Amino acid sequence: MDMRRIVAVLAEEAEQQIEDHVWKVAPDDRALASDTETGLREAVGPPDIQEAMPQIERLEHLRESLAVLAISLARTHGRMAWFLSGALNALESVLRWRAMPADGGGTFGTVLPSAEEYTQAEGAVRRLQDVLAQISDVRSIPSDTPTGPA
């Protein structure tokens, strides 16, 4: 399964949990989602801009997005942490990518990704940006409001 599909499944699960009031998005979750979304947008821009960059810069931007997710994960717990952990897991193959030739030396297990793999990873980050924007816009449900059938 490619990164975009894994992130799409994560997004669908988050949206469903929020809709079903299983995930009661707290103000701290909304603030962290907003900060994380902003960080991801700063790291990975629109397709036309990203695709015009040299591969080494594209890889740097993808690694920055992983750093944003990891820092956010370190600052939370519960469902938001689980969601961010899933996002990091979806993008983990980026950690094994390199943009430079080996020039006869070892590569520590890294690989040269294809142009399609860069596009997939950047698309996955953009989908994460969108779902985090949605999470940051969720309004909390007052604790005295019923959340299920009566």
Side-chain angles (χ1 to χ4, degrees):
M1 190 177 315
D2 78 30
M3 290 179 219
R4 288 179 294 201
R5 182 68 192 133
I6 295 168
V7 169
V9 169
L10 282 172
E12 290 167 13
E13 183 177 355
E15 291 162 354
Q16 190 64 54
Q17 286 188 20
I18 291 167
E19 183 179 315
D20 292 346
H21 305 290
V22 172
W23 182 356
K24 294 172 180 62
V25 180
D28 287 349
D29 288 342
R30 289 195 312 271
L32 184 63
S34 179
D35 291 347
T36 306
E37 182 242 344
T38 298
L40 292 178
R41 286 198 194 281
E42 290 171 358
V44 173
D48 57 332
I49 293 173
Q50 289 299 128
E51 291 171 9
M53 293 179 180
Q55 286 188 347
I56 196 164
E57 288 182 32
R58 290 176 80 179
L59 183 54
E60 287 172 5
H61 287 234
L62 286 167
R63 288 177 179 160
E64 280 181 43
S65 68
L66 290 170
V68 167
L69 290 168
I71 290 167
S72 295
L73 174 60
R75 295 179 174 160
T76 193
H77 58 278
R79 293 188 191 278
M80 178 60 87
W82 305 341
F83 174 77
L84 294 172
S85 177
L88 280 161
N89 189 53
L91 296 168
E92 67 86 23
S93 62
V94 170
L95 296 172
R96 292 187 309 275
W97 292 0
R98 61 185 163 86
M100 300 168 54
D103 292 333
T107 65
F108 301 98
T110 60
V111 297
L112 291 169
S114 67
E116 175 58 27
E117 288 173 308
Y118 278 106
T119 301
Q120 271 186 30
E122 291 160 350
V125 171
R126 285 187 204 94
R127 181 64 175 107
L128 287 169
Q129 294 167 359
D130 294 343
V131 75
L132 286 163
Q134 291 173 353
I135 292 169
S136 69
D137 286 340
V138 170
R139 295 296 151 229
S140 45
I141 300 165
S143 58
D144 60 345
T145 301
T147 59

